[in-house]
Amino acid sequence: MVKIGNISLGEFPLLLAPMEDVSDPPFRAVCKENGADLMYTEFISSEGLIRDAIKSRQKLDIFDYEKPIGIQIFGGDEEAMAMATSIVNVTQPDLVDINFGCPVKKVVTKGAGAGVLKDIDLMVRLTESVVRSTDLPVTVKTRLGWDESSKNIEEVAERLQDVGIKALSIHGRTRQQMYKGEADWSLIAKVKNNPRINIPIFGNGDIDSPQKALEYKNRYGVDGLMIGRAAIGYPWIFNEIKHFFETGETLPPPNLDDRVETAKKHLKFSVEWKGEKLGIFEMRRHYTNYFRGIPHFKPYRTRLVEGENYQAVLDTLDEVNEVFSAQMFENI
């Protein structure tokens, strides 16, 4: 049984990675429904929380059905991270996660996210400031290192465990790699197999199928998998992986009804939570994957992306179901 503090996550949990402008409550809702065991909010700026920035505060929204859930924060100042943690405590998540992995330039140049990978001593101090500011379990998500010449994840894991973190998620790339090339899981396995390490180690990077999930589980011995980009517009991946682990069989892909209904549910929550204009806009990134593999879908994808009001998008989704169901029936 994998546990983070007192949180039980089952034998081999599947985690939804925190993704900026993706891992919001509407997206998390459909992922939870489809088998995600632990989820995190989008990362939240410690400075933004202290300034009471509206966008940062809105990211604190969590719901009972999501539990267990972690709120992820980032920053490069010890005092700000401690103050942000105190604010997070009020919302009563199950854990607090620290982002030391975001490679985006606007975050890195502020000495936060993956920018902290250049200074392990600072990383330790920031982590310690968060641990001291909460009774909740504290976890960390990070990368192998800043670049090829500074893959320091083994030292990082030991030192962060020593100051009190309860789990570590490792993306198998350096900051310099961004999301390019193949994730290197060999160093993740070294951390997991280090006799000094006694906290759960979760691997992240390139898990995009049940087959690869099982291969990496067996080859690298991690305690669970964190899935990010492969879940965008395809929340079914969590249950597909679990089914493959249990039976060795590959579930058929979601049918058209499943895709349309899940897209509708996602859209409805998005509009309710963000308002019509922003809710419609931020759904656009998901449609390509929701309907991937359907021949001649491009005109409908264009209409979904260009739809300017909720009802227009719903009408297009209904039309998608009618048109492509008829085509599939004709092809039987």
Side-chain angles (χ1 to χ4, degrees):
M1 178 70 69
V2 176
K3 298 184 77 174
I4 299 177
N6 292 323
I7 305 166
S8 296
L9 296 174
E11 293 297 324
F12 191 82
L14 302 179
L15 287 61
L16 173 65
M19 294 176 281
E20 174 68 352
D21 292 330
V22 175
S23 300
D24 57 16
F27 178 65
R28 297 197 306 262
V30 294
C31 288
K32 183 70 174 182
E33 190 175 89
N34 285 281
D37 295 304
L38 174 63
M39 305 186 296
Y40 300 85
T41 62
E42 303 168 76
F43 66 26
I44 304 171
S45 163
S46 56
E47 302 283 355
L49 277 182
I50 294 166
R51 289 196 313 269
D52 202 20
I54 292 172
K55 186 172 183 182
S56 294
R57 289 279 179 162
Q58 189 183 33
K59 290 179 180 178
L60 289 174
D61 286 356
I62 56 175
F63 300 88
D64 285 344
Y65 64 79
E66 300 184 282
K67 289 180 172 288
I69 187 164
I71 289 178
Q72 189 187 70
I73 59 175
F74 74 96
D77 179 83
E78 294 166 59
E79 185 178 356
M81 288 290 276
M83 291 175 66
T85 303
S86 297
I87 295 169
V88 165
N89 286 336
V90 176
T91 66
Q92 299 183 316
D94 297 282
L95 57 88
V96 180
D97 189 71
I98 308 172
N99 183 309
F100 290 137
C102 178
V104 176
K105 186 176 180 180
K106 69 178 181 180
V107 173
V108 169
T109 53
K110 293 178 181 175
V116 186
L117 290 167
K118 292 180 175 180
D119 188 342
I120 299 178
D121 290 341
L122 174 60
M123 183 187 286
V124 172
R125 293 197 305 272
L126 291 167
T127 303
E128 197 167 14
S129 72
V130 173
V131 171
R132 285 199 310 263
S133 303
T134 185
D135 293 327
L136 297 168
V138 175
T139 62
V140 164
K141 183 171 191 284
T142 190
R143 288 180 171 237
L144 301 178
W146 177 258
D147 57 24
E148 283 297 311
S149 64
S150 59
K151 290 183 177 179
N152 47 29
I153 189 61
E154 293 175 82
E155 177 188 352
V156 164
E158 289 190 5
R159 293 185 64 182
L160 295 187
Q161 179 180 267
D162 289 346
V163 296
I165 70 166
K166 301 302 183 185
L168 179 65
S169 300
I170 306 169
H171 184 111
R173 290 181 174 87
T174 63
R175 187 273 167 177
Q176 190 179 57
Q177 283 180 275
M178 299 294 284
Y179 296 99
K180 298 175 183 175
E182 187 174 348
D184 176 8
W185 282 60
S186 62
L187 281 177
I188 302 176
K190 280 189 177 181
V191 172
K192 173 58 192 171
N193 293 322
N194 180 345
R196 272 208 63 207
I197 296 295
N198 53 46
I199 59 174
I201 302 297
F202 303 118
N204 175 228
D206 296 347
I207 301 297
D208 58 7
S209 70
Q211 292 77 11
K212 185 175 279 188
L214 183 60
E215 177 191 348
Y216 280 34
K217 174 181 184 283
N218 292 337
R219 183 189 298 180
Y220 299 109
V222 291
D223 295 292
L225 301 175
M226 178 177 276
I227 298 166
R229 288 173 294 166
I232 298 176
Y234 201 85
W236 304 280
I237 190 167
F238 299 99
N239 277 337
E240 287 181 0
I241 289 171
K242 289 180 176 181
H243 184 81
F244 190 73
F245 283 0
E246 291 171 5
T247 68
E249 298 173 355
T250 303
L251 280 174
N255 61 33
L256 191 61
D257 278 340
D258 291 333
R259 298 186 197 202
V260 170
E261 285 309 306
T262 301
K264 278 184 172 182
K265 189 178 297 183
H266 190 168
L267 173 65
K268 181 175 184 289
F269 195 168
S270 187
V271 168
E272 289 173 351
W273 188 62
K274 301 175 186 178
E276 185 168 10
K277 185 175 180 181
L278 186 59
I280 288 170
F281 177 78
E282 294 200 349
M283 266 298 292
R284 291 174 178 175
R285 76 188 81 237
H286 296 275
Y287 293 126
T288 296
N289 283 0
Y290 270 131
F291 299 105
R292 186 180 299 281
I294 296 179
H296 314 301
F297 190 75
K298 187 175 180 180
Y300 289 92
R301 184 176 68 243
T302 301
R303 284 173 55 187
L304 289 169
V305 168
E306 293 179 353
E308 293 185 355
N309 64 71
Y310 180 46
Q311 191 58 51
V313 180
L314 280 182
D315 289 345
T316 301
L317 287 169
D318 285 336
E319 190 175 335
V320 164
N321 212 359
E322 290 173 16
V323 169
F324 290 96
S325 292
Q327 286 184 9
M328 292 174 183
F329 184 76
E330 288 170 6
N331 292 332
I332 292 174

